[in-house]
Amino acid sequence: MRQIVLDTETTGLEPSQGHRIIEIGCVEIVDRRISNTRFQRYLNPEREIDAGAVEVHGITLEDLRDKPVFAEIATNFIEFVRGAELVIHNAPFDVGFINAEFDVLGAAWGSIEDYCTVFDTLKLARETHPGQRNSLDALCRRYEIDNTHREIHGALLDAELLAEVYLAMTGGQGALELETRSATHTRERNEFQRGVSGRELSVVVPRGEEKELHRRQLELIDGGSDGRCVWLSDRESDSG
């Protein structure tokens, strides 16, 4: 299973007001393990950035003048996320901005949901921790994930933190390892059963000397247990 943890930084809060994406950060998870594969791009929004947004992420328009516009990275972005499950905190926000960028490119690009599925970790957090703060910072504290290096928001940094939060909220990598070991044990057991199925198992009959040694061992057990050796009783009753 391939998942992409995604976050964006933007020029403002409303794509309907012409605000644009200025950074996309993605972290890959494969079979519930964070891989070393990343996708991160800074983008020239070709418009001013709200002062309030700059306070959040610290990115100014001057920082982005030499960066590509979304149209230049759109194909690479789609190929990176195609067929995966996007894991996003407050998914409607980021999905709304991505789809607004596709709208600018034209109807033929469709929407992000045409390329992958979307999972909202904020919705999961609210269901798991009702009535509590469920921001990314709050979840990091709750699941003891170190975010002390996060002085300002950044799409890639936030995606990396969210990847750890998501795994913690959904059982962690340890749970996967237990499931894997259990599945391996089941598979080995089934293979053994298939191997012996239909085969006549050999029966080894003890020889006279072996039977005598076994009888003496049972008598020692019987003597040490005040005559309560059930195996010896069974043998005597069988021979009687």
Side-chain angles (χ1 to χ4, degrees), residues 56-168:
V56 171
H57 50 60
I59 303 171
T60 67
L61 186 57
E62 281 301 313
D63 297 326
L64 304 171
R65 291 197 187 278
D66 62 341
K67 305 304 180 187
V69 296
F70 184 85
E72 295 177 75
I73 64 97
T75 299
N76 289 339
F77 170 66
I78 288 172
E79 289 308 311
F80 184 80
V81 302
R82 188 189 296 274
E85 178 184 60
L86 291 187
V87 177
I88 307 174
H89 202 63
N90 191 16
F93 179 87
D94 300 89
V95 168
F97 268 94
I98 293 170
N99 286 340
E101 296 287 354
F102 286 156
D103 288 343
V104 172
L105 299 180
W109 288 81
S111 65
I112 191 64
E113 294 93 340
D114 295 326
Y115 305 101
C116 47
T117 59
V118 178
F119 181 88
D120 189 355
T121 54
L122 179 58
K123 180 180 178 182
L124 173 64
R126 286 171 173 168
E127 293 171 351
T128 307
H129 308 289
Q132 300 183 54
R133 290 177 56 82
N134 289 301
S135 66
L136 182 56
D137 283 335
L139 291 171
C140 284
R141 289 191 294 272
R142 188 169 301 142
Y143 289 100
E144 299 182 344
I145 294 167
D146 183 14
N147 67 339
T148 54
H149 55 299
R150 183 181 186 251
E151 297 179 359
I152 60 174
H153 288 257
L156 184 58
L157 172 60
D158 286 2
E160 290 173 340
L161 290 172
L162 181 58
E164 295 187 56
V165 165
Y166 167 75
L167 290 175

Side-chain angles (χ1 to χ4, degrees), residues 162-182:
L162 181 58
E164 295 187 56
V165 165
Y166 167 75
L167 290 175
M169 278 201 299
T170 55
Q173 294 184 1
L176 172 71
E177 290 168 1
L178 288 175
E179 292 169 7
T180 301
R181 287 199 295 270
S182 176

